[in-house]
PDB file of all heavy atoms in Angstrom:
ATOM      1  N   ILE A  32       0.294  12.125   2.274  1.00 93.00           N
ATOM      2  CA  ILE A  32      -0.377  13.216   2.975  1.00 93.00           C
ATOM      3  C   ILE A  32       0.463  14.473   2.807  1.00 93.00           C
ATOM      4  O   ILE A  32       1.670  14.383   2.583  1.00 93.00           O
ATOM      5  CB  ILE A  32      -0.594  12.894   4.480  1.00 93.00           C
ATOM      6  CG1 ILE A  32       0.740  12.616   5.179  1.00 93.00           C
ATOM      7  CG2 ILE A  32      -1.568  11.739   4.658  1.00 93.00           C
ATOM      8  CD1 ILE A  32       0.632  12.442   6.688  1.00 93.00           C
ATOM      9  N   PRO A  33      -0.148  15.648   2.884  1.00 92.00           N
ATOM     10  CA  PRO A  33       0.630  16.883   2.761  1.00 92.00           C
ATOM     11  C   PRO A  33       1.663  16.998   3.879  1.00 92.00           C
ATOM     12  O   PRO A  33       1.390  16.675   5.033  1.00 92.00           O
ATOM     13  CB  PRO A  33      -0.422  17.985   2.876  1.00 92.00           C
ATOM     14  CG  PRO A  33      -1.706  17.327   2.504  1.00 92.00           C
ATOM     15  CD  PRO A  33      -1.586  15.908   2.980  1.00 92.00           C
ATOM     16  N   ARG A  34       2.864  17.435   3.513  1.00 92.00           N
ATOM     17  CA  ARG A  34       3.944  17.633   4.480  1.00 92.00           C
ATOM     18  C   ARG A  34       3.644  18.851   5.344  1.00 92.00           C
ATOM     19  O   ARG A  34       3.039  19.813   4.893  1.00 92.00           O
ATOM     20  CB  ARG A  34       5.275  17.822   3.745  1.00 92.00           C
ATOM     21  CG  ARG A  34       6.490  17.835   4.671  1.00 92.00           C
ATOM     22  CD  ARG A  34       7.793  17.719   3.892  1.00 92.00           C
ATOM     23  NE  ARG A  34       7.953  16.452   3.192  1.00 92.00           N
ATOM     24  CZ  ARG A  34       8.272  15.299   3.790  1.00 92.00           C
ATOM     25  NH1 ARG A  34       8.454  15.245   5.084  1.00 92.00           N
ATOM     26  NH2 ARG A  34       8.416  14.206   3.078  1.00 92.00           N
ATOM     27  N   VAL A  35       4.070  18.823   6.606  1.00 93.00           N
ATOM     28  CA  VAL A  35       3.912  19.945   7.521  1.00 93.00           C
ATOM     29  C   VAL A  35       5.211  20.747   7.528  1.00 93.00           C
ATOM     30  O   VAL A  35       6.288  20.191   7.729  1.00 93.00           O
ATOM     31  CB  VAL A  35       3.579  19.461   8.955  1.00 93.00           C
ATOM     32  CG1 VAL A  35       3.509  20.628   9.918  1.00 93.00           C
ATOM     33  CG2 VAL A  35       2.285  18.671   8.966  1.00 93.00           C
ATOM     34  N   ASP A  36       5.095  22.051   7.291  1.00 91.00           N
ATOM     35  CA  ASP A  36       6.254  22.941   7.328  1.00 91.00           C
ATOM     36  C   ASP A  36       6.676  23.116   8.783  1.00 91.00           C
ATOM     37  O   ASP A  36       5.875  23.549   9.617  1.00 91.00           O
ATOM     38  CB  ASP A  36       5.901  24.296   6.710  1.00 91.00           C
ATOM     39  CG  ASP A  36       7.058  25.268   6.754  1.00 91.00           C
ATOM     40  OD1 ASP A  36       8.196  24.867   6.419  1.00 91.00           O
ATOM     41  OD2 ASP A  36       6.833  26.437   7.127  1.00 91.00           O
ATOM     42  N   GLU A  37       7.906  22.761   9.109  1.00 89.00           N
ATOM     43  CA  GLU A  37       8.390  22.816  10.493  1.00 89.00           C
ATOM     44  C   GLU A  37       8.389  24.235  11.051  1.00 89.00           C
ATOM     45  O   GLU A  37       8.114  24.456  12.234  1.00 89.00           O
ATOM     46  CB  GLU A  37       9.791  22.208  10.593  1.00 89.00           C
ATOM     47  CG  GLU A  37       9.843  20.735  10.237  1.00 89.00           C
ATOM     48  CD  GLU A  37       9.027  19.858  11.169  1.00 89.00           C
ATOM     49  OE1 GLU A  37       8.948  20.151  12.383  1.00 89.00           O
ATOM     50  OE2 GLU A  37       8.454  18.869  10.675  1.00 89.00           O
ATOM     51  N   ALA A  38       8.686  25.227  10.223  1.00 92.00           N
ATOM     52  CA  ALA A  38       8.777  26.606  10.693  1.00 92.00           C
ATOM     53  C   ALA A  38       7.406  27.190  11.042  1.00 92.00           C
ATOM     54  O   ALA A  38       7.232  27.804  12.093  1.00 92.00           O
ATOM     55  CB  ALA A  38       9.458  27.480   9.641  1.00 92.00           C
ATOM     56  N   SER A  39       6.428  26.982  10.168  1.00 93.00           N
ATOM     57  CA  SER A  39       5.115  27.599  10.384  1.00 93.00           C
ATOM     58  C   SER A  39       4.110  26.655  11.024  1.00 93.00           C
ATOM     59  O   SER A  39       3.101  27.104  11.570  1.00 93.00           O
ATOM     60  CB  SER A  39       4.551  28.094   9.047  1.00 93.00           C
ATOM     61  OG  SER A  39       4.227  26.988   8.211  1.00 93.00           O
ATOM     62  N   GLY A  40       4.361  25.340  10.938  1.00 91.00           N
ATOM     63  CA  GLY A  40       3.413  24.375  11.483  1.00 91.00           C
ATOM     64  C   GLY A  40       2.204  24.153  10.581  1.00 91.00           C
ATOM     65  O   GLY A  40       1.240  23.511  10.974  1.00 91.00           O
ATOM     66  N   ARG A  41       2.263  24.663   9.350  1.00 93.00           N
ATOM     67  CA  ARG A  41       1.144  24.534   8.414  1.00 93.00           C
ATOM     68  C   ARG A  41       1.424  23.434   7.388  1.00 93.00           C
ATOM     69  O   ARG A  41       2.564  23.211   7.002  1.00 93.00           O
ATOM     70  CB  ARG A  41       0.906  25.849   7.679  1.00 93.00           C
ATOM     71  CG  ARG A  41       0.425  26.921   8.606  1.00 93.00           C
ATOM     72  CD  ARG A  41       0.192  28.201   7.841  1.00 93.00           C
ATOM     73  NE  ARG A  41      -0.488  29.124   8.722  1.00 93.00           N
ATOM     74  CZ  ARG A  41      -1.518  29.838   8.376  1.00 93.00           C
ATOM     75  NH1 ARG A  41      -1.982  29.776   7.151  1.00 93.00           N
ATOM     76  NH2 ARG A  41      -2.091  30.644   9.238  1.00 93.00           N
ATOM     77  N   ARG A  42       0.347  22.805   6.956  1.00 92.00           N
ATOM     78  CA  ARG A  42       0.448  21.768   5.939  1.00 92.00           C
ATOM     79  C   ARG A  42       0.532  22.386   4.545  1.00 92.00           C
ATOM     80  O   ARG A  42      -0.032  23.443   4.305  1.00 92.00           O
ATOM     81  CB  ARG A  42      -0.775  20.853   5.972  1.00 92.00           C
ATOM     82  CG  ARG A  42      -0.844  20.008   7.211  1.00 92.00           C
ATOM     83  CD  ARG A  42      -1.938  18.965   7.111  1.00 92.00           C
ATOM     84  NE  ARG A  42      -2.024  18.232   8.356  1.00 92.00           N
ATOM     85  CZ  ARG A  42      -1.254  17.210   8.676  1.00 92.00           C
ATOM     86  NH1 ARG A  42      -0.349  16.784   7.835  1.00 92.00           N
ATOM     87  NH2 ARG A  42      -1.388  16.599   9.832  1.00 92.00           N
ATOM     88  N   ALA A  43       1.209  21.691   3.653  1.00 90.00           N
ATOM     89  CA  ALA A  43       1.213  22.090   2.244  1.00 90.00           C
ATOM     90  C   ALA A  43      -0.208  21.983   1.723  1.00 90.00           C
ATOM     91  O   ALA A  43      -0.987  21.127   2.161  1.00 90.00           O
ATOM     92  CB  ALA A  43       2.144  21.181   1.445  1.00 90.00           C
ATOM     93  N   ILE A  44      -0.552  22.854   0.795  1.00 89.00           N
ATOM     94  CA  ILE A  44      -1.922  22.888   0.272  1.00 89.00           C
ATOM     95  C   ILE A  44      -1.951  22.304  -1.135  1.00 89.00           C
ATOM     96  O   ILE A  44      -1.172  22.680  -2.002  1.00 89.00           O
ATOM     97  CB  ILE A  44      -2.460  24.328   0.261  1.00 89.00           C
ATOM     98  CG1 ILE A  44      -2.537  24.852   1.697  1.00 89.00           C
ATOM     99  CG2 ILE A  44      -3.823  24.390  -0.419  1.00 89.00           C
ATOM    100  CD1 ILE A  44      -2.897  26.306   1.812  1.00 89.00           C
ATOM    101  N   PHE A  45      -2.864  21.369  -1.318  1.00 87.00           N
ATOM    102  CA  PHE A  45      -3.121  20.780  -2.630  1.00 87.00           C
ATOM    103  C   PHE A  45      -4.595  20.999  -2.926  1.00 87.00           C
ATOM    104  O   PHE A  45      -5.460  20.543  -2.176  1.00 87.00           O
ATOM    105  CB  PHE A  45      -2.811  19.274  -2.630  1.00 87.00           C
ATOM    106  CG  PHE A  45      -1.354  18.977  -2.553  1.00 87.00           C
ATOM    107  CD1 PHE A  45      -0.710  18.900  -1.325  1.00 87.00           C
ATOM    108  CD2 PHE A  45      -0.617  18.788  -3.705  1.00 87.00           C
ATOM    109  CE1 PHE A  45       0.640  18.627  -1.251  1.00 87.00           C
ATOM    110  CE2 PHE A  45       0.747  18.511  -3.641  1.00 87.00           C
ATOM    111  CZ  PHE A  45       1.377  18.438  -2.413  1.00 87.00           C
ATOM    112  N   ARG A  46      -4.879  21.725  -3.999  1.00 86.00           N
ATOM    113  CA  ARG A  46      -6.263  21.997  -4.391  1.00 86.00           C
ATOM    114  C   ARG A  46      -6.439  21.616  -5.852  1.00 86.00           C
ATOM    115  O   ARG A  46      -5.998  22.350  -6.739  1.00 86.00           O
ATOM    116  CB  ARG A  46      -6.592  23.474  -4.213  1.00 86.00           C
ATOM    117  CG  ARG A  46      -6.658  23.893  -2.781  1.00 86.00           C
ATOM    118  CD  ARG A  46      -7.219  25.297  -2.658  1.00 86.00           C
ATOM    119  NE  ARG A  46      -7.270  25.665  -1.259  1.00 86.00           N
ATOM    120  CZ  ARG A  46      -6.725  26.756  -0.759  1.00 86.00           C
ATOM    121  NH1 ARG A  46      -6.117  27.619  -1.540  1.00 86.00           N
ATOM    122  NH2 ARG A  46      -6.813  27.006   0.527  1.00 86.00           N
ATOM    123  N   ALA A  69       8.057  16.900  -2.914  1.00 85.00           N
ATOM    124  CA  ALA A  69       8.693  17.805  -1.952  1.00 85.00           C
ATOM    125  C   ALA A  69       7.718  18.227  -0.855  1.00 85.00           C
ATOM    126  O   ALA A  69       8.110  18.382   0.296  1.00 85.00           O
ATOM    127  CB  ALA A  69       9.245  19.037  -2.670  1.00 85.00           C
ATOM    128  N   ASP A  70       6.446  18.397  -1.197  1.00 89.00           N
ATOM    129  CA  ASP A  70       5.447  18.829  -0.227  1.00 89.00           C
ATOM    130  C   ASP A  70       4.583  17.686   0.280  1.00 89.00           C
ATOM    131  O   ASP A  70       3.505  17.898   0.824  1.00 89.00           O
ATOM    132  CB  ASP A  70       4.548  19.914  -0.840  1.00 89.00           C
ATOM    133  CG  ASP A  70       5.277  21.232  -1.015  1.00 89.00           C
ATOM    134  OD1 ASP A  70       6.239  21.476  -0.265  1.00 89.00           O
ATOM    135  OD2 ASP A  70       4.886  22.011  -1.897  1.00 89.00           O
ATOM    136  N   LEU A  71       5.054  16.445   0.087  1.00 91.00           N
ATOM    137  CA  LEU A  71       4.281  15.275   0.501  1.00 91.00           C
ATOM    138  C   LEU A  71       5.079  14.372   1.434  1.00 91.00           C
ATOM    139  O   LEU A  71       6.298  14.287   1.335  1.00 91.00           O
ATOM    140  CB  LEU A  71       3.876  14.436  -0.720  1.00 91.00           C
ATOM    141  CG  LEU A  71       2.863  15.035  -1.672  1.00 91.00           C
ATOM    142  CD1 LEU A  71       2.710  14.149  -2.900  1.00 91.00           C
ATOM    143  CD2 LEU A  71       1.523  15.212  -0.985  1.00 91.00           C
ATOM    144  N   VAL A  72       4.375  13.698   2.318  1.00 92.00           N
ATOM    145  CA  VAL A  72       4.934  12.577   3.068  1.00 92.00           C
ATOM    146  C   VAL A  72       4.378  11.341   2.366  1.00 92.00           C
ATOM    147  O   VAL A  72       3.169  11.100   2.383  1.00 92.00           O
ATOM    148  CB  VAL A  72       4.486  12.595   4.550  1.00 92.00           C
ATOM    149  CG1 VAL A  72       4.999  11.358   5.266  1.00 92.00           C
ATOM    150  CG2 VAL A  72       4.952  13.858   5.234  1.00 92.00           C
ATOM    151  N   TYR A 134       2.319  11.883  14.530  1.00 94.00           N
ATOM    152  CA  TYR A 134       2.638  13.074  13.758  1.00 94.00           C
ATOM    153  C   TYR A 134       3.475  12.674  12.558  1.00 94.00           C
ATOM    154  O   TYR A 134       4.334  11.807  12.694  1.00 94.00           O
ATOM    155  CB  TYR A 134       3.435  14.052  14.643  1.00 94.00           C
ATOM    156  CG  TYR A 134       3.885  15.305  13.952  1.00 94.00           C
ATOM    157  CD1 TYR A 134       3.043  16.397  13.865  1.00 94.00           C
ATOM    158  CD2 TYR A 134       5.140  15.379  13.372  1.00 94.00           C
ATOM    159  CE1 TYR A 134       3.455  17.547  13.219  1.00 94.00           C
ATOM    160  CE2 TYR A 134       5.552  16.532  12.720  1.00 94.00           C
ATOM    161  CZ  TYR A 134       4.709  17.601  12.645  1.00 94.00           C
ATOM    162  OH  TYR A 134       5.108  18.732  11.997  1.00 94.00           O
ATOM    163  N   PRO A 135       3.219  13.194  11.403  1.00 93.00           N
ATOM    164  CA  PRO A 135       2.417  14.351  11.026  1.00 93.00           C
ATOM    165  C   PRO A 135       0.999  14.010  10.582  1.00 93.00           C
ATOM    166  O   PRO A 135       0.312  14.843  10.006  1.00 93.00           O
ATOM    167  CB  PRO A 135       3.210  14.930   9.857  1.00 93.00           C
ATOM    168  CG  PRO A 135       3.754  13.732   9.161  1.00 93.00           C
ATOM    169  CD  PRO A 135       4.069  12.758  10.278  1.00 93.00           C
ATOM    170  N   GLN A 140      -7.046  11.833   8.636  1.00 95.00           N
ATOM    171  CA  GLN A 140      -6.239  11.190   7.598  1.00 95.00           C
ATOM    172  C   GLN A 140      -6.031   9.706   7.922  1.00 95.00           C
ATOM    173  O   GLN A 140      -6.163   8.848   7.046  1.00 95.00           O
ATOM    174  CB  GLN A 140      -4.889  11.886   7.459  1.00 95.00           C
ATOM    175  CG  GLN A 140      -4.967  13.269   6.872  1.00 95.00           C
ATOM    176  CD  GLN A 140      -3.670  14.049   7.035  1.00 95.00           C
ATOM    177  OE1 GLN A 140      -2.938  13.867   8.002  1.00 95.00           O
ATOM    178  NE2 GLN A 140      -3.400  14.929   6.077  1.00 95.00           N
TER     179      GLN A 140
END
Side-chain angles (χ1 to χ4, degrees):
I32 59 174
R34 188 168 295 284
V35 176
D36 179 45
E37 297 297 325
S39 68
R41 293 180 170 226
R42 292 189 184 277
I44 297 173
F45 289 86
R46 291 190 180 126
D70 289 334
L71 291 173
V72 176
Y134 177 85
Q140 291 167 329

